[in-house]
Amino acid sequence: MKIAESWLREWVNPDLDTETLAHQLTMSGHEVEGVAYEGEGLDGVIIGEVIAVSRHPNADRLSVCKVSTDGRETIEVVCGAPNVTAGMKSPLARAGITLPNGVKLRKSKIRGVISHGMLCSAVELGLGDESDGIIALPEDAPVGESLASYLGLPDAVIDLNLTPNRGDCFSVLGIARDVAALTATDIKDATVASVSATIDDTHAVDVQQAKACPSFAGRVIRNIDAHAKTPIWMTERLRRSGFRCIHPVVDITNYVMLELGQPLHAYDLRLVAGAICPRLAKAGEKLTLLDDKEIAVTEDTLVISDDSGAIGLAGIMGGLSTAVSDATVDVFFEAAFWPPEFIVGRARTYGLHTEASLRFERGVDPHGQARAIERATALLLDISGGEAGPLVLTTSDEHLPQRETIRLRRSRLATLLGVKIDDAIVVEILQRLGLDIVAQDDGWDVTPPGFRFDIAIEADLIEEVARVYGYDKIPETTEISQTALETVTESKIGLEPVAATLVARDYQEVITYSFIDSESNRALSGAESDLILSNPISSEMSVMRASILPGLLRAASANAARQQDRVRLFEIGKSFHGTLEEPVEIVRIAAIATGSALPEQWAAKAQSVDFFDIKSDVDAILRLAGDATQLHYTAADHAALQPGQSAKITRNDQLIGMIGKLHPRHAKYFDLKRDVFVFELDAALALASAAPEASQVSKYPSIRRDISVLVDDKISADDLIQTVASAAPDLISSVRIFDIFRGPGVEAGLKSVALGLILQETSRTLTDEDADAAMTAAVRKLQEKFAAELRE
């Protein structure tokens, strides 16, 4: 919110300069994002009157103006503004003056005509961003007077970033209250004098749902001057607050909203058909708003209606059918209290964000409606004349917010702030904030005013005391506490080493949403989810994920779409299973790799990542848990993976995860052009560890014997290794596959596998007879189980 310092100082004028005031506001929780100084550099710019306008003899788009500088002297000025007319008054900068934008004016010849100055636009003077015409000043602007003096410049515009809980501060009055409390300065009386009615005219109001509209104030004003203009002091305050002037009646409603924090709406009374009725919208009801946008109103939205139907969105925006225009002479002012629960989120439903909805969503003073109408009435009568009817206030006390008394304990205040504040100071702070206080033995009973929606519990009161007392006055202390040492266990490996391992292997960690679309969830997990969100953000985030892969694949797809040819991503997160009544959460480790196996380089031939590349990454993770001899990769089908290139991972016959190549149909769905390899592990099972057991290192040499056999191409390497190892378990310490061959000399459907047998004993040196016996037993077992043929 933007607020002019001069306007604020009319309400409260502390002995602080602008910068100090801004700092005080920031330290109190009202962050000042910036201070803009307007009107600096306007020395020498005066109010000029255009006496005559003639066409430039040598330029179609230029005019030659005779401009009076003091009512007697005139100078000739060449002007290119389309809105210049004889009789208008506008800012005049004479030759020799430097404008705020740095331009120094000189007497110059423009297309053969000498110009002795410039009639200025708002952008040239730093007074706005309008540059399509010169500023038109009111008819009563005194010719020859300094423009800065006339407009009350220079002035500072303070840009505040207010927190959502402080709805009361979205006004000059609200900020003035806080400044007065912070600086112990007197504030202007916020009471507004009642305007006496000069006519008896009223307009019927029918509040059908008092809970949705507990307070509604209205007043009829007739016979206003349709040709009246908004005075310059008001247009300037509105402009500095970021508002554009529209019409005196509309400008007054904006002005009162900015000043007192109560949004108002004005109707052209002649266009209102029957009683004004605040109510919930009807099914299928349509409304054309002031911005000429037609909307279909939902049944949970409050509207203002008359006999013709809806004529405005309550607390958001008025309707076009009853809008004030240049022909308006009879006005009906409305100020209502709409409880936040009836307004929150409604504006966004229709793609709107208005100044009124911003305030009503955060809460306005439930007792400020009559005051706002009185203020608006007085301003309209001063500006446009007219005759005011009596103010009619319809209230339902039982539905107005009731403020409960809150106990502020002296001990709790000291505990939370870490400092003891004198009771007299606490009482003074609370009283300056406008809170009612009753002393008690252990503290105070405090009742907040109606406009302080943010004060509901004891902690809120403590925050107020600290805020006004000054956070910088609370001494910094170092807390000392005992921290229990975490039990160190060897039965589980932490997730940090896993992440470090994958990062070291050139993966990058991502975090994806736990909500995914049901189609991807079903396709990649193979099962329908019972964990369906009742209010999803979108259809693409409708179920809780049963696998981390969908999120990773979307991330990979986004990277591939941005010309990233090599993508390696991992995520450690939860998957969700079971039912709503009995949900189950499992921490998983998942990764995907696509593109080249190695980064682009000259030392190695480019090669795409394959199954064995990603299998080595899985091995690196699983070896963190210790012994890897019980790990097995067994061919298995999985909904997400391509048959023949997928495997389940087990340890001691317990399933801990899956690995393989993404099925082509899924790759096509995610628009991934290259082969994608993935794995997903149950973190708890994959990282389960046991205390290591020491084994004796043999002091006797090992013996190696190699054999080569022909076997069916479908037989896995793991089956061959396990079979050979079991042939002579006391002698064969390990088995290694060092070559697999398919091609000339090997029958189709077969493969030649070369295995190295490492033989070793811990109690003696093995002989050739021992080695021969072990090899014979291994070959025999391979022949019996797989019909293997020994190659010579």
Side-chain angles (χ1 to χ4, degrees):
M1 186 185 81
K2 293 182 178 180
I3 181 172
E5 182 183 8
S6 59
W7 194 0
L8 177 62
R9 289 189 182 273
E10 279 192 6
W11 283 87
V12 59
N13 191 14
D15 187 18
L16 303 173
D17 60 26
T18 303
E19 296 298 327
T20 306
L21 175 61
H23 176 73
Q24 283 270 47
L25 286 168
T26 297
M27 293 303 295
S28 68
H30 305 311
E31 181 184 358
V32 174
E33 291 193 328
V35 178
Y37 294 92
E38 292 201 353
E40 292 185 329
L42 295 182
D43 296 340
V45 178
I46 62 172
I47 298 172
E49 182 178 9
V50 181
I51 303 300
V53 178
S54 60
R55 186 175 177 180
H56 194 290
N58 302 317
D60 293 338
R61 295 187 179 183
L62 296 179
S63 302
V64 179
C65 307
K66 289 191 179 298
V67 183
S68 173
T69 60
D70 58 4
R72 299 182 301 275
E73 179 191 2
T74 61
I75 61 173
E76 200 166 60
V77 174
V78 176
C79 180
N83 65 327
V84 63
T85 59
M88 76 179 296
K89 294 179 180 179
S90 183
L92 171 65
R94 302 185 67 169
I97 292 174
T98 300
L99 296 177
N101 60 8
V103 175
K104 185 172 183 178
L105 298 181
R106 294 181 175 84
K107 184 170 65 173
S108 57
K109 184 179 289 188
I110 302 175
R111 295 287 185 94
V113 177
I114 296 176
S115 179
H116 296 269
M118 174 191 290
L119 294 171
C120 302
S121 67
V123 71
E124 289 163 340
L125 299 179
L127 300 179
D129 54 7
E130 294 183 9
S131 59
D132 55 351
I134 59 175
I135 297 175
L137 296 173
E139 294 178 1
D140 61 355
V143 177
E145 183 176 326
S146 163
L147 178 69
S149 176
Y150 178 67
L151 297 181
L153 298 171
D155 193 7
V157 177
I158 303 171
D159 190 357
L160 294 163
N161 182 13
L162 299 173
T163 54
N165 66 315
R166 291 304 303 273
D168 62 301
C169 285
F170 283 85
S171 65
V172 178
L173 173 59
I175 295 298
R177 287 193 187 111
D178 258 27
V179 171
L182 291 168
T183 61
T185 307
D186 292 338
I187 185 173
K188 173 184 172 182
D189 186 2
T191 305
V192 176
S194 298
V195 176
S196 299
T198 55
I199 57 174
D200 296 329
D201 294 17
T202 61
H203 191 83
V205 175
D206 180 17
V207 179
Q208 296 182 356
Q209 295 171 306
K211 183 179 181 181
C213 182
S215 178
F216 190 101
R219 173 174 255 157
V220 171
I221 303 175
R222 294 194 182 276
N223 302 320
I224 67 170
D225 181 2
H227 302 292
K229 302 295 183 182
T230 305
I232 190 67
W233 63 266
M234 182 177 287
T235 62
E236 272 297 290
R237 285 186 174 177
L238 290 173
R239 183 190 64 78
R240 294 171 205 178
S241 299
F243 282 72
R244 181 175 58 88
C245 290
I246 301 170
H247 182 281
V249 174
V250 178
D251 296 343
I252 287 169
T253 62
N254 286 333
Y255 184 86
V256 174
M257 177 184 68
L258 287 170
E259 184 177 54
L260 302 179
Q262 170 67 50
L264 297 92
H265 186 64
Y267 302 86
D268 187 327
L269 192 57
R270 293 182 303 172
L271 302 177
V272 178
I276 288 178
C277 177
R279 59 170 172 80
L280 287 170
K282 299 175 183 177
E285 197 164 17
K286 293 187 177 181
L287 167 65
T288 301
L289 299 173
L290 286 172
D291 60 0
D292 208 21
K293 174 184 177 182
E294 184 180 72
I295 61 171
V297 192
T298 58
E299 294 179 60
D300 64 344
T301 301
L302 283 171
V303 298
I304 307 294
S305 68
D306 63 4
D307 292 347
S308 67
I311 58 174
L313 284 181
I316 301 175
M317 186 182 289
L320 188 62
S321 64
T322 58
V324 170
S325 69
D326 291 338
T328 300
V329 293
D330 296 333
V331 174
F332 181 76
F333 274 136
E334 164 235 303
F337 172 70
W338 311 107
E341 59 267 25
F342 286 92
I343 304 297
V344 169
R346 302 305 193 280
R348 289 186 291 277
T349 301
Y350 305 104
L352 300 172
H353 178 76
T354 66
E355 293 290 334
S357 66
L358 178 146
R359 287 163 174 80
F360 281 122
E361 286 181 350
R362 290 156 176 77
V364 302
D365 187 347
H367 306 288
Q369 291 69 51
R371 176 177 59 186
I373 293 290
E374 295 286 11
R375 178 64 167 147
T377 302
L379 289 169
L380 184 58
L381 294 180
D382 286 344
I383 294 169
S384 302
E387 300 169 300
L391 185 148
V392 178
L393 180 62
T394 304
T395 60
S396 174
D397 291 338
E398 63 178 307
H399 293 112
L400 286 172
Q402 303 299 318
R403 305 317 309 269
E404 300 293 333
T405 298
I406 306 167
R407 174 64 60 86
L408 174 58
R409 294 167 292 172
R410 189 179 294 105
S411 58
R412 187 62 177 163
L413 179 68
T415 300
L416 284 187
L417 298 186
V419 63
K420 188 178 185 305
I421 301 177
D422 188 83
D423 286 1
I425 296 177
V426 174
V427 170
E428 182 187 1
I429 288 172
L430 296 177
Q431 288 177 338
R432 293 204 316 249
L433 289 167
L435 283 64
D436 292 332
I437 307 168
V438 177
Q440 301 294 339
D441 292 340
D442 61 343
W444 305 270
D445 282 342
V446 183
T447 305
F451 56 82
R452 289 302 300 269
F453 282 79
D454 59 310
I455 300 178
I457 59 176
E458 184 181 29
D460 297 332
L461 292 172
I462 295 173
E463 179 185 10
E464 290 299 291
V465 172
R467 191 172 64 87
V468 177
Y469 179 75
Y471 294 117
D472 53 344
K473 293 181 182 178
I474 299 175
E476 180 180 337
T477 57
T478 302
E479 186 63 37
I480 300 175
S481 63
Q482 292 183 348
T483 303
L485 293 176
E486 183 179 343
T487 302
V488 178
T489 176
E490 296 185 8
S491 64
K492 182 180 179 181
I493 304 299
L495 296 172
E496 291 82 0
V498 175
T501 298
L502 288 171
V503 169
R505 299 179 78 87
D506 210 17
Y507 285 83
Q508 295 192 43
E509 185 174 12
V510 297
I511 299 175
T512 62
Y513 286 110
S514 296
F515 312 132
I516 61 174
D517 64 286
S518 58
E519 182 180 350
S520 297
N521 189 68
R522 178 178 61 255
L524 293 170
S525 68
E528 291 280 359
S529 174
D530 290 332
L531 305 177
I532 303 172
L533 276 67
S534 59
N535 57 340
I537 299 173
S538 69
S539 60
E540 294 182 351
M541 305 177 77
S542 58
V543 300
M544 302 296 289
R545 65 185 182 189
S547 168
I548 299 179
L549 292 180
L552 283 174
L553 291 170
R554 289 194 185 281
S557 177
N559 277 270
R562 289 160 177 79
Q563 291 79 49
Q564 297 298 315
D565 295 329
R566 183 174 185 268
V567 180
R568 298 167 73 87
L569 305 174
F570 79 94
E571 180 175 2
I572 301 174
K574 290 182 178 180
S575 62
F576 303 87
H577 313 270
T579 63
L580 291 174
E581 293 75 22
E582 296 183 0
V584 177
E585 299 180 6
I586 299 175
V587 177
R588 296 190 182 277
I589 306 163
I592 67 168
T594 183
S596 60
L598 297 172
E600 186 176 359
Q601 56 174 297
W602 60 269
K605 184 179 179 181
Q607 179 179 331
S608 296
V609 67
D610 61 19
F611 180 93
F612 298 102
D613 290 318
I614 199 167
K615 179 175 178 288
S616 69
D617 300 327
V618 175
D619 280 341
I621 295 172
L622 297 178
R623 289 180 185 276
L624 294 172
D627 184 15
T629 59
Q630 299 302 316
L631 288 173
H632 298 287
Y633 295 82
T634 308
D637 291 333
H638 189 279
L641 304 179
Q642 180 175 334
Q645 295 201 50
S646 61
K648 63 180 180 180
I649 308 170
T650 59
R651 175 187 281 138
N652 296 325
D653 297 327
Q654 185 178 42
L655 180 65
I656 62 174
M658 42 71 63
I659 183 174
K661 179 184 176 184
L662 185 70
H663 198 288
R665 68 169 176 270
H666 300 319
K668 182 178 180 181
Y669 178 81
F670 287 99
D671 198 24
L672 293 166
K673 304 293 191 297
R674 307 185 69 172
D675 290 346
V676 180
F677 292 87
V678 304
F679 70 81
E680 189 168 31
L681 306 173
D682 182 318
L685 300 178
L687 301 179
S689 177
E693 296 181 4
S695 58
Q696 183 178 354
V697 177
S698 177
K699 62 182 179 180
Y700 300 101
S702 62
I703 299 176
R704 173 167 176 152
R705 292 289 188 269
D706 296 340
I707 59 173
S708 179
V709 293
L710 288 173
V711 295
D712 191 291
D713 196 30
K714 295 180 181 179
I715 297 173
S716 69
D718 185 68
D719 287 341
L720 293 174
I721 291 173
Q722 297 300 320
T723 299
V724 171
S726 64
D730 294 337
L731 297 179
I732 302 175
S733 61
S734 66
V735 180
R736 304 169 186 171
I737 293 179
F738 62 89
D739 184 55
I740 298 177
F741 177 73
R742 301 177 183 87
V746 177
E747 185 180 342
L750 300 179
K751 61 183 175 183
S752 172
V753 181
L755 302 100
L757 284 64
I758 309 301
L759 312 174
Q760 192 168 41
E761 247 282 7
T762 58
S763 60
R764 63 188 179 91
T765 299
L766 296 179
T767 63
D768 287 341
E769 290 78 6
D770 294 327
D772 292 341
M775 287 186 61
T776 301
V779 171
R780 184 168 56 250
K781 200 152 189 177
L782 289 172
Q783 290 172 338
E784 293 172 355
K785 191 168 184 179
F786 303 118
E789 296 182 18
L790 185 65
R791 296 189 71 190
E792 298 297 336

